[in-house]
Amino acid sequence: MTSTRLIHVLVFDGFADWEPAHALAELRRWGKRSVRVIGFTSAPVVSMGGLKVLPDATLATVAIDDVELFLLPGGDMWESSTYPRASLDSLLVRLVAAQTPVAAICGATLALARAGLLDGRRHTSNMRSYLAAHAPEYAGSAYYEERSAVRDQHVITASGLAAVDFAREIFAELQVFNASDEALWYGMFKGGHVPTDAI
């Protein structure tokens, strides 16, 4: 089922370009979604892998009703918290209040922790101590799970080593695949299992 709302992905200098790649590719290919690239400003950014990306719009212009999923990739920026935190916190809180899915991987889970969005729902990150070390206001330790990716109450979190699992949770949240197609996709990209009928 397609949506008139868009997948929004936040980009910034040094974002980890591979972390949202599986999710974005299949959301466009199988899910027939459109992707809107959001920057803190309208200036081009360069990913960790050296890709120059020009945002379609800025964070300040994001309208909640236009968002089907808001995706935050990791990157070293999150550890320094040198981003417009108040603006991002406000948007994330409003998205979650509207039950709009938010997905964060690796260092981007710090943004959710700082916004208080992990304090009452199951979640994961790079490790429990990682969240506490970089987000002193984090109070969700009791809800932390030692898993690659976790989805709870429209919030998806993942370790930086779990881009495939992260994508799978996004697909489940947005009902991109049926159960058999999801298992097939996960077997290929996680386990390297090529279907016999594809040979």
Side-chain angles (χ1 to χ4, degrees), residues 15-160:
F15 78 93
D17 41 25
W18 67 94
E19 289 177 345
H22 284 293
L24 294 175
E26 301 304 345
L27 286 170
R28 291 188 71 240
R29 184 169 66 157
W30 289 103
K32 308 302 181 192
R33 268 59 171 198
S34 295
V35 174
R36 189 177 193 211
V37 180
I38 303 300
F40 289 113
T41 72
S42 58
V45 300
V46 178
S47 74
M48 199 177 289
L51 301 177
K52 183 180 280 189
V53 179
L54 180 66
D56 297 314
T58 64
L59 190 70
T61 66
V62 174
I64 302 295
D65 291 344
D66 293 339
V67 182
E68 184 180 14
L69 171 94
F70 198 85
L71 195 160
L72 298 93
D76 295 338
M77 176 199 73
W78 298 117
E79 295 180 5
S80 65
S81 67
T82 56
Y83 57 93
R85 180 175 162 186
S87 298
L88 183 59
D89 282 4
S90 174
L91 176 62
L92 294 174
V93 168
R94 287 184 292 125
L95 286 166
V96 171
Q99 299 188 348
T100 300
V102 171
I105 184 170
C106 194
T109 57
L110 294 171
L112 301 187
R114 290 175 184 135
L117 298 174
L118 304 183
D119 294 347
R121 54 173 46 86
R122 295 180 301 107
H123 61 278
T124 194
S125 180
N126 293 332
M127 60 186 69
R128 189 190 314 259
S129 60
Y130 177 79
L131 292 173
H134 295 287
E137 56 276 79
Y138 168 64
S141 181
Y143 295 91
Y144 188 90
E145 296 188 0
E146 297 287 351
R147 292 172 51 202
S148 298
V150 174
R151 177 168 55 100
D152 187 25
Q153 302 173 65
H154 310 293
V155 172
I156 300 160
T157 51
S159 157

